[in-house]
Amino acid sequence: MGRAASTAAGVKARGLQGRWAFLLSVLGPAFVASVAYVDPGNVAANLTAGARYGYLLVWVLVAANLMAMLIQYLSAKLGVVTGRTLPELLGKRLRPAGRRLFWMQAEVVALATDLAEVVGGAVALRLLFGVPLPLGALAVGVVSMGILAIQDFRTQQKFEMAIVGLLTVITVGFLAGLALSPPSPAGVVGGLLPRFDGADSVLLAASMLGATVMPHAIYVHSALSRDRHRPDPHTAVSERAIRRLLRGTRVDVVSALGVAGVVNLGMLLLAAATLGGVDGTDSIEGAHAAIEHALGQGVGVAFAVGLLASGLASTSVGSYAGATIMEGLLERRIPLLLRRAITLVPSVVVLALGVDPTWALVVSQVVLSFGIPFALIPLIRLSTSPAVMGGFTLRLPLVVGSWLSAGFVVVLNIVLLWLTLSGSG
């Protein structure tokens, strides 16, 4: 009896070890996609929101992060189940003119993304070493080419490891200040009540939403999951294997987006606790100076290093996303490094013209917010189609949650447009 119990315990232990080993083996794609949620655009939007309005817009970040978990899971699930990317599936269903138009709007979104990421990295280099912004943008572009080369010529896992390493630096850099300047618990709880305070707060909410639920992350996650789990879509995979992969994918998404959500919220709370009422905090440079003055040079350096890691990681993922979009919609593929070089030009030009970098970051996030429905609505329609997903179509609660998320984005953008055109606020 004792031997039988011992044998059963050993089998159970091996089963648990096998389950953990499997979960660890499928982690990665969501962590790469999650970098899009902690890019320099997030820094600009979240710091500005916290400095101007304190804890008022905490609810926007919480809602956006919950939406992000759902949306990224849908994208990853699409790649796992079909062995195709979202742009590929769209390209097969659109007529040639429709494909080109859809690709054009997706490219505008990709360029806005890249602008935010390169500008943020350039600002970080200026904060750390006094490098001029245009030269800093070039440096960010060159280093990101090196990161992309890992993906291009070795394995996706090594690319994922490089991005996760940068994500770790981002997390430490942006959360270090909270240890010295903890937020007000009452303020955080009060910020969970949905409300606005004029047109400017709506603009910032749209910017935060665009920086959190990012269109290019919706497109690219299906590719990351496909490349990891279904590199050959013509190879048959059993239903049991797909269900097992989806369980691991859920863990991947919740873990990765949970980290990204904590970092985003931490930035806003740090600004609310430290920067409220301080002059000059409407720019990243001003916010950095205020943080350094209030919390010390060490925290200031950590913040700048986190910003640099954010720019490097997110611009690499953005280039990957842009290549995925072009290949899926136009069936054309250009080398990742060439694409990185081409899309670097607008960012360098903007900085060379002397455009305020923080303003460019916030506006780029508003552009992203308007691009979300073009990625999200087709994703939901494909995810609910039995012809596409077979027996893996969404269950009713996820369908409702998905359409509510899409509706929230569309309504917020309509309100933002109306307020902007009417000159309210």
Side-chain angles (χ1 to χ4, degrees), residues 280-360:
T281 54
D282 53 350
S283 69
I284 290 181
E285 295 96 325
H288 171 265
I291 290 172
E292 192 171 63
H293 176 75
L295 303 178
Q297 186 175 8
V299 174
V301 169
F303 176 86
V305 170
L307 179 63
L308 178 59
S310 170
L312 292 173
S314 54
T315 194
S316 302
V317 175
S319 295
Y320 190 114
T324 298
I325 292 167
M326 175 178 283
E327 183 178 5
L329 290 171
L330 301 185
E331 297 183 350
R332 295 180 182 176
R333 184 178 181 87
I334 63 174
L336 273 174
L337 298 185
L338 176 60
R339 181 180 179 86
R340 167 67 281 173
I342 293 172
T343 56
L344 183 62
V345 174
S347 302
V348 176
V349 171
V350 166
L351 292 175
L353 291 175
V355 175
D356 177 67
T358 301
W359 181 84

Side-chain angles (χ1 to χ4, degrees), residues 45-67 178 183-197 201 204-205 208-209 212 261-273 408:
N46 295 334
L47 290 181
T48 302
R52 290 185 188 176
Y53 295 101
Y55 303 98
L56 177 74
L57 298 178
V58 166
W59 69 273
V60 175
L61 279 184
V62 174
N65 201 65
L66 292 174
M67 289 165 52
L178 285 178
S184 161
V188 175
V189 173
L192 295 174
L193 177 65
R195 63 196 191 281
F196 294 108
D197 184 14
S201 66
L204 274 175
M208 293 161 67
L209 184 65
T212 305
V262 169
V263 173
N264 274 317
L265 188 59
M267 284 187 280
L268 186 145
L269 297 181
L270 179 64
F408 177 73

